[in-house]
Amino acid sequence: MDDVAVRPMRRDDAEAILAIYQAGLDSGDASFETTAPTWTEFDAGRLPEHRYVAVDDSGTVLGWVAVSAVSTRRVYAGVVEHSVYVDPARQGRGVARLLLTTLIAATETAGIWTIQSGVFPENVASLALHTRMGFRVVGTRERVGRQHGRWRDVVLLERRSPAII
């Protein structure tokens, strides 16, 4: 991974980020969504201080990670939900691990004690990565939503920071 760096997401990354997002959605196992949002919608739904992209030596965006607040209630100020997407051509090469490592460090520094996510059980690679990164399965929401006329389960994952008690 010497040729990959992680840096904060910028507005001029929007086209690449949304293309990677759409490719993930097109796989059918990344989200209930089927169409990537506009940049305005994407930007409005994610916390600005915890967004990162992985780039190669030429500056090409290979993947991204970002978080959203789970609630506006103060008691949940330290809980976020994350998404991580990698260009299909770069999957399986450690890009998502690098992005999650950066996100975990940044959120802990900011006092965030829980990162959570929902993953389709069919997304075995994502579940394995999250387990390796210290996430645990807290349950499965069975038949929680329909996608393309088919009921889907969602595995709920969380990573509690051992540094913030």
Side-chain angles (χ1 to χ4, degrees):
M1 295 297 297
D2 292 337
D3 63 333
V4 178
V6 175
R7 63 163 170 76
M9 189 181 287
R10 301 188 303 235
R11 169 67 179 95
D12 62 340
D13 298 320
E15 184 177 342
I17 289 165
L18 296 178
I20 290 169
Y21 196 2
Q22 187 62 55
L25 298 179
D26 291 345
S27 77
D29 284 333
S31 172
F32 281 110
E33 300 299 329
T34 56
T35 305
T38 65
W39 179 254
T40 301
E41 294 165 333
F42 181 97
D43 186 47
R46 285 151 188 91
L47 299 177
E49 59 274 7
H50 300 294
R51 306 177 192 187
Y52 300 94
V53 294
V55 296
D56 65 13
D57 289 338
S58 70
T60 301
V61 175
L62 309 174
W64 60 269
V65 66
V67 301
S68 302
V70 298
S71 176
T72 57
R73 295 178 61 196
R74 285 183 35 180
V75 69
Y76 295 113
V79 182
V80 295
E81 182 168 359
H82 86 286
S83 296
V84 59
Y85 284 78
V86 176
D87 183 316
R90 292 300 298 243
Q91 291 176 355
R93 299 181 187 171
V95 174
R97 180 178 36 82
L98 187 59
L99 286 163
L100 281 174
T101 298
T102 301
L103 178 70
I104 289 166
T107 55
E108 285 185 342
T109 298
I112 292 172
W113 58 83
T114 300
I115 303 171
Q116 66 183 36
S117 191
V119 176
F120 289 135
E122 296 84 1
N123 195 341
V124 177
S126 182
L127 291 172
L129 169 68
H130 282 85
T131 299
R132 285 191 310 273
M133 297 299 299
F135 286 77
R136 70 180 182 96
V137 174
V138 294
T140 300
R141 297 180 74 193
E142 296 177 356
R143 297 171 45 96
V144 71
R146 292 174 66 97
Q147 182 188 47
H148 306 297
R150 176 179 131 210
W151 285 104
R152 301 290 301 263
D153 296 347
V154 172
V155 178
L156 299 176
L157 302 160
E158 74 172 14
R159 183 188 183 281
R160 297 292 307 264
S161 170
I164 303 171
I165 300 176

